[in-house]
């Protein structure tokens, strides 16, 4: 398996970020939307940069018949991103009081991006899964947004501990999204971000 570069890695922070000028758009009406993040984000979660939505629509068109994308979360306000990161870091700190601050930050970034570089807070990342034609969520091996601890590592995209059916669903989802120009964060099967060709080459 190739090296996993975590979001806390200095190589990630070194990638230049420029405002693309695209508006944040509401994905409702274009995609099937789940409301499980609504209480936390109060409606902000249904927004994405236009280019990311365009890629998702291309990905959806590439899915086999009877399958649809199920959108869960896009834009995440910076304060909410910081809250998620700090809450998870606190959990890790409580479970591993001997870990250094750097180790906590690195481990936390497996599951939540550090706030200062989080693509969700730019509307450039999305958490999603697959549903059938009736909108029923398919089995992809873990609950959406299960942490490495909660899932015993099965949240990693290439986890070997999931069923053949879940692995096949992950493969279908990943192939469609990659073909549309989205990049999977390999510690979370449900997380995709939009990167330029040059940024992908940098990694």
């Amino acid at each position: 398996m190739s090296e996993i570069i975590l979001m806390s890695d200095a190589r990630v922070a070194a990638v230049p970020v420029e405002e693309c000028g695209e508006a944040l758009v509401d994905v409702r009406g274009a995609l099937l939307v789940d409301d499980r993040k609504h209480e936390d984000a109060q409606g902000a979660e249904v927004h994405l940069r236009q280019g990311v939505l365009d890629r998702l629509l291309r990905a959806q068109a590439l899915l086999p018949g009877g399958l649809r994308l199920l959108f869960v979360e896009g834009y995440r306000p910076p304060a909410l991103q910081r809250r998620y990161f700090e809450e998870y870091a606190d959990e890790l700190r409580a479970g591993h009081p001997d870990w250094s601050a750097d180790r906590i930050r690195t481990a936390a970034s497996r599951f939540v991006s550090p706030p200062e570089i989080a693509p969700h807070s730019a509307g450039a990342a999305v958490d999603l899964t697959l549903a059938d034609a009736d909108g029923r969520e398919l089995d992809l091996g873990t609950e959406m947004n299960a942490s490495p601890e909660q899932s015993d590592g099965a949240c990693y995209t290439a986890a070997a501990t999931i069923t053949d059916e879940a692995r096949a669903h992950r493969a279908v989802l990943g192939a469609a999204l990659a073909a549309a120009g989205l990049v999977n964060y390999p510690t979370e099967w449900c997380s995709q971000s939009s990167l330029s060709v040059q940024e992908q080459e940098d990694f």
Side-chain angles (χ1 to χ4, degrees):
M1 186 172 79
S2 61
E3 176 191 12
I4 294 177
I5 298 175
L6 296 175
M7 294 298 285
S8 60
D9 195 293
R11 289 171 287 182
V12 175
V15 174
V17 177
E18 295 181 10
E19 172 57 55
C20 68
E22 289 181 359
L24 283 171
V25 295
D26 191 326
V27 306
R28 290 172 294 188
L31 294 170
L32 179 64
V33 175
D34 181 279
D35 68 357
R36 72 189 78 181
K37 288 290 186 175
H38 181 75
E39 185 174 346
D40 283 351
Q42 295 297 302
E45 77 284 355
V46 299
H47 295 86
L48 280 176
R49 297 290 181 138
Q50 181 67 59
V52 183
L53 175 57
D54 291 344
R55 288 178 173 133
L56 290 177
L57 294 174
R58 286 199 297 273
Q60 182 156 264
L62 295 170
L63 291 173
L67 296 183
R68 306 166 67 184
L69 296 178
L70 177 59
F71 177 98
V72 175
E73 184 180 23
Y75 175 70
R76 189 181 292 158
L80 183 58
Q81 181 71 33
R82 182 168 299 281
R83 187 188 112 195
Y84 284 166
F85 187 81
E86 291 178 352
E87 286 176 350
Y88 184 47
D90 285 345
E91 288 178 25
L92 293 171
R93 200 173 290 111
H96 305 278
D98 56 321
W99 283 9
S100 68
D102 283 346
R103 186 170 182 185
I104 293 291
R105 177 180 166 81
T106 298
S109 76
R110 296 169 306 159
F111 182 54
V112 185
S113 294
E116 64 275 10
I117 53 89
H120 272 292
S121 294
V126 59
D127 291 348
L128 46 66
T129 187
L130 286 175
D132 65 17
D134 295 320
R136 291 185 295 257
E137 189 171 340
L138 300 185
D139 176 19
L140 274 84
T142 71
E143 291 185 13
M144 272 287 295
N145 294 316
S147 71
E149 290 74 26
Q150 291 166 333
S151 68
D152 196 22
C155 61
Y156 280 57
T157 306
T161 55
I162 60 175
T163 66
D164 289 343
E165 179 183 44
R167 188 173 299 107
H169 289 157
R170 288 188 189 187
V172 166
L173 178 63
L177 293 166
L182 292 160
V183 178
N184 169 245
Y185 191 39
T187 62
E188 294 184 84
W189 61 262
C190 62
S191 184
Q192 309 288 325
S193 64
S194 174
L195 293 175
S196 70
V197 171
Q198 182 58 50
E199 287 171 328
Q200 292 180 47
E201 290 173 351
D202 287 342
F203 290 102

